[in-house]
């Protein structure tokens, strides 16, 4: 796992889990932006160096690596927790990565806060606060699943937050994708940083 440190050399930790494209430059740039905000960032590579820009190949990659994802994320949490020497650890996940981080939500006792981009998953009964960013027009997450997760988050406490970005699509926060929406991505990033700092 790559670890990026802020200029100060220390700070709270944030684990970043990539989408089904793999740990590409866009995710690395996102991690670097978090480091500039004062976080120690762990970039987990679930796919062992493989990346793609093709949806067909991405589907193959998630099938190939699906069963190993949770274990690699758990290992990443452990490494980052050691690296920040007891400081709080949060996490950010994009679609595939967000789904698997949501699976980790009830298992990582030291996870302080979780941010997901366009990902849904049933929530455990007890969990760290979650911020969920949803696209307004998402072909990969159903309206019903988004509504169910939003309702579960609202029911479990005011620390949880959901935002839907009108007229955006899945991958709106990823600068190398045609679906990228610069204004929505900037706003989502600002909200992410504020949430992780709380």
């Amino acid at each position: 796992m790559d670890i990026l440190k802020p200029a100060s050399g220390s700070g709270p930790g944030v684990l970043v889990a990539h989408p089904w494209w793999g740990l590409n430059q866009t995710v690395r740039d996102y991690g670097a932006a978090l480091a500039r905000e004062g976080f120690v960032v762990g970039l987990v590579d679930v796919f062992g160096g493989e990346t793609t820009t093709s949806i067909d190949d991405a589907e193959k990659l998630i099938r190939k690596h699906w069963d190993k994802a949770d274990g690699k994320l758990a290992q990443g949490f452990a490494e980052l927790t050691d690296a920040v020497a007891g400081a709080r650890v949060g996490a950010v996940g994009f679609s595939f990565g967000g789904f698997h981080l949501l699976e980790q939500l009830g298992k990582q006792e030291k996870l302080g806060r979780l941010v997901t981009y366009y990902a849904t998953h049933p929530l455990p009964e007890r969990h760290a606060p979650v911020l969920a960013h949803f696209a307004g027009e998402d072909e990969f997450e159903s309206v019903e699943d988004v509504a169910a997760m939003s309702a579960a988050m609202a029911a479990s406490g005011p620390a949880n937050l959901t935002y839907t970005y009108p007229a955006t699509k899945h991958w709106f926060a990823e600068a190398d994708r045609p679906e990228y929406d610069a204004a929505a991505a900037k706003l989502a990033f600002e909200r992410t940083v504020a949430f992780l700092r709380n």
Side-chain angles (χ1 to χ4, degrees):
M1 182 176 73
D2 294 341
I3 294 181
L4 310 178
K5 292 188 176 182
S8 66
S10 63
V14 179
L15 192 77
V16 177
H18 60 74
W20 67 355
W21 314 116
L23 183 54
N24 57 22
Q25 190 59 47
T26 295
V27 179
R28 292 183 182 279
D29 290 346
Y30 187 95
L34 285 175
R36 289 193 295 272
E37 294 291 336
F39 297 99
V40 176
V41 180
L43 297 172
V44 179
D45 188 352
V46 175
F47 293 170
E50 294 183 90
T51 62
T52 186
T53 58
S54 158
I55 289 177
D56 288 343
D57 289 343
E59 289 175 339
K60 293 175 184 175
L61 283 174
I62 62 171
R63 286 195 296 270
K64 177 179 177 182
H65 296 282
W66 189 272
D67 291 340
K68 301 175 184 176
D70 287 339
K72 288 189 175 182
L73 287 171
Q75 181 180 349
F77 273 115
E79 290 180 20
L80 186 58
T81 299
D82 289 344
V84 298
R88 186 173 66 181
V89 174
V92 178
F94 294 85
S95 50
F96 165 82
F99 177 91
H100 283 282
L101 284 176
L102 286 164
E103 286 201 328
Q104 292 283 312
L105 193 54
K107 304 173 186 177
Q108 298 298 330
E109 294 181 2
K110 295 183 179 180
L111 175 61
R113 297 207 156 205
L114 172 60
V115 179
T116 60
Y117 284 80
Y118 23 85
T120 59
H121 190 285
L123 298 177
E125 185 175 343
R126 299 183 65 179
H127 59 83
V130 177
L131 164 59
H133 300 296
F134 294 120
E137 302 170 6
D138 197 326
E139 298 179 26
F140 295 87
E141 294 291 347
S142 72
V143 172
E144 293 79 13
D145 286 347
V146 170
M149 183 168 158
S150 297
M153 288 173 63
S156 64
N160 301 305
L161 295 170
T162 60
Y163 293 105
T164 298
Y165 299 81
T168 60
K169 299 182 181 296
H170 205 88
W171 308 309
F172 74 81
E174 297 168 47
D176 62 330
R177 300 300 306 171
E179 298 83 2
Y180 178 62
D181 184 309
K186 180 176 183 292
L187 179 56
F189 182 77
E190 291 170 351
R191 287 169 167 169
T192 293
V193 170
F195 184 79
L196 291 171
R197 283 179 175 158
N198 284 340

